[in-house]
Amino acid sequence: MTMTAENTVTAEVEALVREHMTLVSHLVREILGRVPAHVNRDDLTSAGLAALVTAAQSFDAERGASFGRFAATRIRGALIDELRSLDWASRSVRHRARQADGIRQELTAALGRTPTAQELADRMGVAVDDLTAVEGDVQRAMILSLHGFPYGAADDLVRERGAGPEEMLLHRERIGYLHDAINALPDRLRTVVTGYFLLERPMSAIAEELGVSESRVSQLRGEALTLLRDGMNAQLDPDLVDEVDGCVARRRLAYYRQVAAAGTLRTRLSVTTAQGVPVAA
């Protein structure tokens, strides 16, 4: 960290920055899970670290606020500004996603079932890998996948953590249920979710591990996201659970019960700190 005559970095400021650098990493990691893969981690990290330094320099402990919360607000603001400066969901990607959705609906009506990735790609005149890449960008941008938040503006992607005690408790419980829901997934679905979203592995590597095509991995990812969403809603908001019939309904019900029995409030809260920050494994 450098020092200038106009803006001297004291030992106290440097200590605050070093102590809270992991906060920047956490907030950047949280955002990267919700945006397309081409958003640059280093750009976000640089913006976050600059905001952390500024926060440390302007922090006044006598006002009674904790530095962690004060810095988090500044860092979120900087990350929002950085996201706004990026064209992270290009027009071409959005156009192709809308086109794919329209054709998928047409084929579903014509075939009486959901079309395969190959059928959809053939109808669009593109390679399956190209279609998979577009869908991957869209799903990363939407990620209600693992967090349940809708696709929207940059402000929506960086949630304000100024929640009260009750809201924070509910937030932490939801994260705990997410952990339980992931662990309760069937092996193949859990491998896809863990590899793609948590370990950020390429889809090709996951496909090779499972011995299937990348388009099949994409289908498994979609199945897993739906199951995760309903598995969590079954515990937190049953009215939002999709209705299904027959064997599928029985399998879903067994999964919901497994999620419910996987832990207690204490174990679910144990995966985060009192501030809602994930506990390192």
Side-chain angles (χ1 to χ4, degrees):
M1 203 171 298
T2 60
M3 300 174 60
T4 67
E6 295 181 354
N7 197 12
T8 303
V9 177
T10 65
E12 182 179 359
V13 167
E14 184 167 355
L16 282 174
V17 171
R18 291 186 181 280
E19 182 180 352
H20 292 84
M21 287 178 70
T22 55
L23 178 60
V24 175
S25 299
H26 166 66
L27 294 176
V28 168
R29 184 170 60 250
E30 184 179 79
I31 292 175
L32 286 173
R34 302 178 189 175
V35 298
H38 63 260
V39 174
N40 189 281
R41 178 190 294 269
D42 291 341
D43 290 343
L44 291 178
T45 300
S46 295
L49 288 174
L52 175 61
V53 173
T54 301
Q57 291 170 334
S58 60
F59 178 63
D60 184 357
E62 294 183 359
R63 294 185 177 181
S66 70
F67 177 72
R69 176 164 294 189
F70 175 76
T73 300
R74 295 295 187 90
I75 295 168
R76 287 190 186 90
L79 296 180
I80 288 173
D81 289 342
E82 182 66 24
L83 284 174
R84 284 172 174 162
S85 72
L86 301 173
D87 182 19
W88 52 268
S90 67
R91 291 182 179 179
S92 62
V93 169
R94 291 176 179 174
H95 172 73
R96 186 62 64 86
R98 287 193 297 269
Q99 181 186 24
D101 187 56
I103 294 177
R104 183 182 289 106
Q105 292 181 28
E106 293 177 6
L107 287 174
T108 298
L111 299 171
R113 58 172 173 79
T114 302
T116 65
Q118 187 64 59
E119 289 170 336
L120 183 58
D122 290 344
R123 181 67 174 271
M124 293 179 64
V126 300
V128 172
D129 288 348
D130 292 338
L131 179 62
T132 299
V134 170
E135 291 181 340
D137 269 354
V138 172
Q139 289 194 23
R140 282 183 181 277
M142 292 182 64
I143 214 142
L144 54 73
S145 39
L146 297 184
H147 295 278
F149 301 109
Y151 174 76
D155 310 60
D156 299 324
L157 295 172
V158 189
R159 299 184 305 131
E160 177 56 52
R161 204 178 289 277
E166 182 178 355
E167 293 174 305
M168 178 58 70
L169 187 66
L170 292 173
H171 169 69
R172 294 177 61 200
E173 184 182 20
R174 186 174 181 83
I175 293 177
Y177 269 121
L178 173 60
H179 280 252
D180 291 341
I182 291 174
N183 290 333
L185 285 172
D187 290 344
R188 287 161 68 87
L189 299 187
R190 186 171 63 251
T191 296
V192 171
V193 167
T194 302
Y196 188 75
F197 290 110
L198 304 183
L199 301 180
E200 300 183 359
R201 297 179 61 197
M203 191 172 291
S204 58
I206 300 173
E208 182 177 356
E209 177 182 343
L210 295 178
V212 298
S213 66
E214 290 188 39
S215 61
R216 178 55 181 156
V217 172
S218 181
Q219 291 177 335
L220 291 172
R221 179 182 59 188
E223 293 174 18
L225 296 184
T226 298
L227 199 55
L228 281 173
R229 181 196 64 202
D230 287 346
M232 293 176 65
N233 283 336
Q235 319 308 320
L236 300 168
D237 197 344
D239 290 340
L240 296 178
V241 177
D242 290 342
E243 294 185 6
V244 292
D245 300 316
C247 294
V248 174
R250 289 194 293 272
R251 289 196 298 269
R252 291 282 183 87
L253 183 58
Y255 172 72
Y256 303 158
R257 289 172 175 169
Q258 189 175 353
V259 173
T264 63
L265 177 61
R266 180 183 296 276
T267 62
R268 291 181 185 114
L269 295 182
S270 69
V271 301
T272 55
T273 66
Q275 291 74 39
V277 178
V279 175

